[in-house]
Amino acid sequence: MTLLKREQIPVVGLDFMNHDHAAAAEQINQLDQLIRQTQKGDKASQQQIEPLLKEIYAHSKHHFAHEEAEMIRVSFPAYECHKGEHERVLEELTQILLQWQKNQNSELLNDFLKTTLCHWLVNHISTMDNVTAMFVGRYDHSVA
């Protein structure tokens, strides 16, 4: 069972964003699988969760920095708002990692994944990222 299917991830007007969003969805699906295996008592899966949470954070930070660089390059009017949302989500990811490191509560992590992160990702892409991609794409077509 796949938590986030490819067709659930909105497509925006910039390839680098679509590629990064697909990678984020894959990481979320990997985390979902590890959580399910952990809840069945699989200790090896449980030990893989922390490195994956760190990978999700690193991927998100890199992706957000790329988006923000493009927004700055084209003087995107809603830059501060979009950047603020990125900062908020990075803080949430930091907190969920710290909580996992403290108590390895798979129920808490599962709840965050399914009720917060998945919904946020799809909503953020369909709103903020979509508008950003349209603006950057109209500015020029040289975006990688």
Side-chain angles (χ1 to χ4, degrees):
M1 179 188 205
T2 301
L3 184 60
L4 272 179
K5 295 176 178 60
R6 183 176 290 276
E7 60 270 13
Q8 290 176 277
I9 305 299
V11 176
V12 299
L14 295 175
D15 288 341
F16 87 86
M17 292 172 82
N18 292 323
H19 178 268
D20 287 354
H21 296 156
E26 180 58 34
Q27 289 175 326
I28 286 171
N29 288 330
Q30 289 173 353
L31 183 58
D32 179 53
Q33 180 66 29
L34 290 176
I35 292 169
R36 284 191 276 128
Q37 291 303 113
T38 295
Q39 291 176 333
K40 292 178 184 176
D42 184 349
K43 295 293 183 190
S45 293
Q46 184 176 358
Q47 292 179 350
Q48 293 175 49
I49 289 176
E50 183 176 334
L52 182 55
L53 286 172
K54 290 177 178 177
E55 185 181 319
I56 290 169
Y57 179 90
H59 172 80
S60 298
K61 187 173 182 178
H62 175 77
H63 171 69
F64 295 163
H66 192 172
E67 279 186 11
E68 290 164 13
E70 287 301 312
M71 288 188 271
I72 289 169
R73 184 178 67 82
V74 299
S75 300
F76 182 60
Y79 168 76
E80 289 297 331
C81 177
H82 198 154
K83 182 180 186 322
E85 184 64 8
H86 290 165
E87 290 169 349
R88 186 190 66 76
V89 169
L90 288 174
E91 180 57 29
E92 278 189 353
L93 290 172
T94 298
Q95 292 306 312
I96 202 70
L97 173 60
L98 291 172
Q99 288 174 348
W100 176 259
Q101 290 170 330
K102 182 178 178 181
N103 58 30
Q104 297 197 346
N105 184 328
S106 63
E107 289 300 323
L108 181 69
L109 183 58
N110 191 47
D111 184 58
F112 170 77
L113 182 66
K114 292 181 177 167
T115 64
T116 302
L117 189 58
C118 288
H119 295 292
W120 175 84
L121 180 65
V122 171
N123 184 57
H124 182 77
I125 295 168
S126 64
T127 58
M128 289 187 170
D129 282 355
N130 188 43
V131 171
T132 300
M134 285 191 295
F135 190 92
V136 173
R138 287 182 185 148
Y139 186 82
D140 69 28
H141 297 286
S142 67
V143 179

